[in-house]
Each structure stands twice: as structure tokens, then as C-alpha cells.
Amino acid sequence: MSDTHTVVERGAAETDGDRHILRFTLRLPHSVSRVWAAVASSDGLRDWLAAAEPFEPRIGGAITLRWRNTDRDGNATVASGTVTAWDIERVAEYTLEGVHGRIRFHLEPPRGDHVVLRFTNEFRGDDALRLDCLAGWHNHFEYLVEALDGRPADWSAWTLTRWQELRDGYAADGGRGGD
């Protein structure tokens, strides 16, 4: 069983004007195929992030993500786009319309008993959105760790409490870098 607080390191952000690049690195004690299925299949994404329908796993394929949690106003986010990079068991990249921009999952070959997942999210927005996204991705990666351990997210029990705690932490250090 994984400890979500040690597996999910703080995200880092680079900002140039209104363009932000968020980066997270996760060391996951699972096989490449298991992690790949979690980030690059509709069934896997549903367990920790969003329903992915349609989802066409190929470059140029359509993807629509319907987040399973809600925002502060009680709305679920829906973002459509295309698959912009696809290298089986290595890279899955989705470029979405609206605020989510480009999200990229890059799996590195196993190192001992874990796989390294490098995540990048590039988007445009203000600093408040940058902090929202840092907290949101961090929170979702905690759900990913749980899902990989056989405990998919129970979205009916989801609240903003953990997200707000994470956002406050990122805001306290300016949301620019990891520990």
C-alpha cells in the first residue's frame, strides 16, 4: 500500500506572463502497464480523474474529460480536445479546449520497484488559476495513488476540504516550486 503524502511530491510551477507550466513527479510502486492503464484509458481515468468519453487512444483522436468532482460552485468541469502525443506505455498527451490546456503523462522505465510518472500541464490563466490547478492536480494524484492500490475514488464523498488545504499550502509559498 502506498502513502499518498510521500508518493505525491509537491508540484512546481513556471510562469511567463499568463502562461503556466505545472510539473509533478510521482514514484509509483506499480508496473508500467498498470500505471499506463490508469492515465491512458477511459476505465483508468474514471477511477481517479474524469470520465473520458469519447476517448480515441491515438494521435489526433478525440477526448472529452468530464471531471467526477465539482468546483467551488458545485459544477463539474467538462473539457474536450484531442490526443496530441501517444506512445504506448510511455507518453499520453491530451490538449484540451479551455483552461486545462495541454496535459502530458510521461512514464519512465521502471527503477527498482517503482515507475516514475512525470506530469506536465501547460495552460494560460491568472495566478489564482495556477494555484487552483496545482491544488487540483495534487489532489487528483492522491486519488491516482489510491486507485492504483485498488481503491478508486468515491466521488459521492468528495468535498473541497483537501483541495482547499492543498491550495492554501501552495499559496503560502507562492506556488512556484516543490519542497
Side-chain angles (χ1 to χ4, degrees):
M1 222 180 272
S2 304
D3 176 359
T4 58
H5 297 293
T6 59
V7 174
V8 182
E9 297 175 9
R10 288 180 55 79
E14 299 170 27
T15 298
D16 182 13
D18 70 345
R19 181 176 163 264
H20 307 284
I21 300 174
L22 310 184
R23 298 181 197 287
F24 285 84
T25 301
L26 289 81
R27 287 162 183 76
L28 302 164
H30 297 282
S31 68
V32 168
S33 60
R34 185 165 174 91
V35 176
W36 176 256
V39 300
S41 75
S42 58
D43 288 340
L45 289 165
R46 181 178 20 257
D47 287 345
W48 68 277
L49 180 65
E53 299 162 356
F55 180 63
E56 299 171 345
R58 59 179 169 76
I59 292 178
I63 185 167
T64 296
L65 297 177
R66 289 172 182 78
W67 268 253
R68 313 270 323 267
N69 60 309
T70 58
D71 63 17
R72 286 181 265 211
D73 300 322
N75 302 311
T77 300
V78 177
S80 296
T82 57
V83 176
T84 47
W86 191 259
D87 184 359
I88 295 173
E89 294 193 349
R90 291 213 46 214
V91 176
E93 179 182 281
Y94 316 122
T95 300
L96 305 170
E97 298 169 355
V99 299
H100 286 88
R102 182 179 60 88
I103 59 176
R104 180 181 183 92
F105 301 94
H106 178 215
L107 279 70
E108 295 181 357
R111 294 183 184 175
D113 63 350
H114 65 273
V115 171
V116 174
L117 171 63
R118 296 193 187 279
F119 172 81
T120 307
N121 179 207
E122 184 176 346
F123 61 94
R124 292 192 176 277
D126 61 17
D127 282 339
L129 180 61
R130 177 180 51 83
L131 293 171
D132 288 353
C133 290
L134 279 165
W137 283 115
H138 191 130
N139 196 192
H140 278 289
F141 288 134
E142 290 175 345
Y143 282 115
L144 171 62
V145 170
E146 295 291 318
L148 287 167
D149 285 346
R151 295 180 305 279
D154 175 4
W155 298 109
S156 67
W158 188 85
T159 69
L160 284 168
T161 304
R162 177 66 178 146
W163 175 87
Q164 188 64 57
E165 176 183 285
L166 288 163
R167 191 184 190 287
D168 292 346
Y170 282 109
D173 72 5
R176 296 284 176 207
D179 292 334

